[in-house]
Amino acid sequence: MCTPMLLVHGGAGSISDARVPGKLRGMKIALKAGLPLLMPSYEFGGVQAGSALDAVVAAVRTMEEDESFNAGYGACLNSDGNVELEASIMEGSKLRAGCVTLLHDIKYPISVARCVMERTNHTFLGGISAQKFALEHGAIQLPEGTLVTESARNALENFKQQQAEGKDTTYSPTELDESVKDRPGEPGTVGAVAIDAKGNIAVATSTGGITGKVPGRIGDTPLLGCGTYADNQLGGVSTTGHGETIMRFNLAQKILANIRYCNMSAQEATVTACNEMTERLGGTGGAITIGTKGDIGIAWTSKRMAWAYVRDNEFIHGIDHGNILKEPF
Ligand code: ASP
C-alpha cells in the first residue's frame, strides 16, 4: 500500500505579486477537490480505494474554472485574440493517455482529454475534429469568447506593444547567459500529479499556451513526454514553462530517465533535468514529479513557479525559489 499524494502546480514564469494570492487560493481549492477522491474511504462497511485519475481531473478542473491560471477561463490569447486550449492526461498502470489541442470555447479541456483516453482508440485529437468529439461527448460549448478575461486581453495588448517596439517576444533566448528570461505577465498552465493507495500514478496538464501565439501553434502541454507523463514503474510528471523549449527537450521524459537510469530521487531528477534544459536550450520551465513510493520532486528555472500539496493536514506550498510555506489545510 502506498501513501496517497496529490501535487499540483499553477504555472511557471514571471508571476506578478498581484497574482500570487489568487494562485495560492486556486491551488488550495484544487487540492480540496482532488484529495477526497484520492483517499481511500470507508463506506458501507467496505474500503473504497481512491483514484489518482479522478483526483488529478478534479484538481485540474477547478483550476480551469479559475482566472488565476492560464487554462480554461483566463487562458492566454493567440494573436487573433482567441483562446485555443490544450490538455493531456495519462495513467501509469497501462500507459493509457488522452490529449487534445486547439479547442475553442470548451469548459473543461481536461475532461475532453480523459474522454479521448477512455472512449476512443486514439490518443490525440486536435482542431475541428477534437471540438466535434468534445461536443458529442458531453462537453459544454460556451458562447464565443466566454473564456476571454480582461487580464488576458491586457497581456495580449502588452505583447503586441512590445512587438511593435521591436522587443524580443520570441521567449526563446539564444544566449545561455540570458537564460533567466521569462514571459511577462502570464498566468500559468496548470497540472496535477497523483499516486493512490494502490500505487497508480496519474497526471493531468491543461493550458491556453502562450500569449500572442500564432493561431494553430501547439505547445508542450498536450504532448506526452513533454507536458505530461505517467508510468507506475517510474513516476509521473507535469511540466510548465516555455513550450518550445520543453518539447524540444522532452522534459517529462528526461526527469523519468534520470530516475530510471541514474537512480535519482524524484527531487534530484526534477532539479537536474530542469537545470540541464535551461543550460542547453536557454528557455526556462519547471516540473512537479511523484515517484513510485510517493516521493515528490519540485523544481523550476523560471523566475517563479506555483506549487502545492498537503501532508499531515498542512497546506505546503511555494512560488519563490527557496521558500516553502506551510499553513493549516
Ligand atoms: N507550457 C505552456 C506552453 O508553452 C505554457 C505554460 O506552461 O505557461 O504552451
Side-chain angles (χ1 to χ4, degrees):
M1 285 284 270
C2 265
T3 307
M5 167 57 74
L6 174 61
L7 176 59
V8 298
H9 74 72
S14 303
I15 299 164
S16 68
D17 289 345
R19 283 215 169 260
V20 174
K23 280 193 185 286
L24 297 185
R25 205 173 39 242
M27 291 191 300
K28 203 171 196 179
I29 292 170
L31 291 167
K32 288 214 185 265
L35 279 170
L37 303 174
L38 184 66
M39 296 302 171
S41 58
Y42 301 87
E43 282 169 9
F44 311 115
V47 181
Q48 303 283 0
S51 154
L53 193 58
D54 289 344
V56 292
V57 171
V60 164
R61 277 171 67 109
T62 67
M63 293 191 281
E64 288 178 333
E65 286 171 349
D66 185 337
E67 70 167 309
S68 306
F69 304 103
N70 170 21
Y73 181 59
C76 287
L77 305 183
N78 68 16
S79 57
D80 288 345
N82 296 321
V83 163
E84 284 182 323
L85 301 165
E86 315 187 276
S88 58
I89 191 161
M90 185 161 186
E91 65 82 29
S93 66
K94 297 201 178 96
L95 306 186
R96 290 182 310 149
C99 313
V100 287
T101 189
L102 305 176
L103 291 176
H104 289 264
D105 305 306
I106 291 285
K107 195 158 182 199
Y108 297 118
I110 200 63
S111 293
V112 183
R114 182 174 186 169
C115 236
V116 171
M117 175 172 86
E118 292 179 337
R119 301 205 207 156
T120 76
N121 295 325
H122 304 300
T123 303
F124 199 159
L125 295 181
I128 298 167
S129 308
Q131 187 84 12
K132 195 165 163 268
F133 170 84
L135 298 178
E136 282 167 3
H137 289 81
I140 302 167
Q141 171 81 62
L142 302 162
E144 203 182 321
T146 308
L147 300 171
V148 178
T149 59
E150 197 186 327
S151 123
R153 259 192 234 107
N154 291 342
L156 180 61
E157 233 168 75
N158 188 13
F159 173 89
K160 289 194 168 170
Q161 177 88 25
Q162 290 190 6
Q163 253 187 344
E165 287 168 11
K167 293 201 180 129
D168 178 13
T169 51
T170 61
Y171 312 128
S172 180
T174 48
E175 302 286 339
L176 293 188
D177 58 357
E178 280 189 354
S179 60
V180 185
K181 191 181 205 178
D182 283 295
R183 292 162 288 140
E186 298 212 355
T189 293
V190 303
V193 184
I195 186 165
D196 60 34
K198 290 185 190 152
N200 285 318
I201 294 174
V203 180
T205 316
S206 179
T207 193
I210 52 176
T211 294
K213 64 186 182 179
V214 170
R217 176 265 192 188
I218 296 169
D220 58 306
T221 303
L223 302 181
L224 301 178
C226 304
T228 294
Y229 206 81
D231 183 343
N232 283 4
Q233 294 178 13
L234 295 173
V237 181
S238 172
T239 73
T240 170
H242 183 234
E244 280 67 13
T245 300
I246 293 172
M247 69 173 97
R248 283 156 57 220
F249 192 69
N250 268 218
L251 181 57
Q253 266 304 334
K254 283 284 197 323
I255 292 170
L256 296 176
N258 283 343
I259 292 175
R260 179 170 190 172
Y261 301 111
C262 307
N263 216 9
M264 290 185 190
S265 67
Q267 180 62 22
E268 259 182 296
T270 310
V271 172
T272 305
C274 290
N275 287 343
E276 189 191 343
M277 178 180 81
T278 296
E279 272 161 30
R280 292 188 60 187
L281 281 88
T284 59
I288 55 170
T289 305
I290 296 185
T292 54
K293 304 269 178 302
D295 49 318
I296 60 170
I298 302 165
W300 65 98
T301 55
S302 318
K303 188 171 160 216
R304 284 176 148 170
M305 183 176 85
W307 60 267
Y309 64 94
V310 174
R311 184 170 278 156
D312 299 331
N313 220 29
E314 269 193 318
F315 175 56
I316 304 172
H317 59 278
I319 205 155
D320 287 307
H321 286 281
N323 202 6
I324 299 175
L325 302 162
K326 293 181 185 180
E327 62 186 67
F329 185 58

